[in-house]
Amino acid sequence: MKELVELLVKALVDDPSAVEVTEVEERRGVLYEVRVAPDEMGRVIGRQGKIINALRTVVKAASTKDDLRVSVELVS
């Protein structure tokens, strides 16, 4: 799942080498913390948050077959 998040975010940004995805185990599931270059944050968030919400939707849909609770957060 981490690879999926990383692949999707790297496709969105101009500098894919600056993308870092950290997997954090939580009691209720898994949290993926995504870090990108500061000037790329807007590109990942999108207008009114549409891109990050679409990313979350895709990851949640992919995680249902593994019966996992997954969340994606963009951190600076």
Side-chain angles (χ1 to χ4, degrees):
M1 195 62 55
K2 179 180 175 181
E3 294 82 19
L4 174 65
V5 175
E6 197 169 322
L7 176 77
L8 292 172
V9 174
K10 283 185 177 183
L12 293 171
V13 298
D14 288 333
D15 184 15
S17 63
V19 174
E20 181 182 326
V21 178
T22 307
E23 183 175 331
V24 178
E25 294 286 333
E26 295 182 327
R27 191 179 76 198
R28 300 174 71 194
V30 179
L31 169 67
Y32 292 102
E33 295 179 341
V34 179
R35 288 180 176 79
V36 296
D39 57 331
E40 301 275 11
M41 294 282 277
R43 189 178 302 266
V44 176
I45 294 171
R47 290 184 189 250
Q48 299 177 350
K50 288 184 180 180
I51 300 220
I52 191 69
N53 286 334
L55 178 69
R56 289 176 178 139
T57 302
V58 169
V59 172
K60 284 181 184 180
S63 69
T64 56
K65 73 175 186 178
D66 295 334
D67 199 30
L68 291 173
R69 180 173 284 206
V70 175
S71 58
V72 178
E73 291 295 322
L74 190 61
V75 295
S76 56

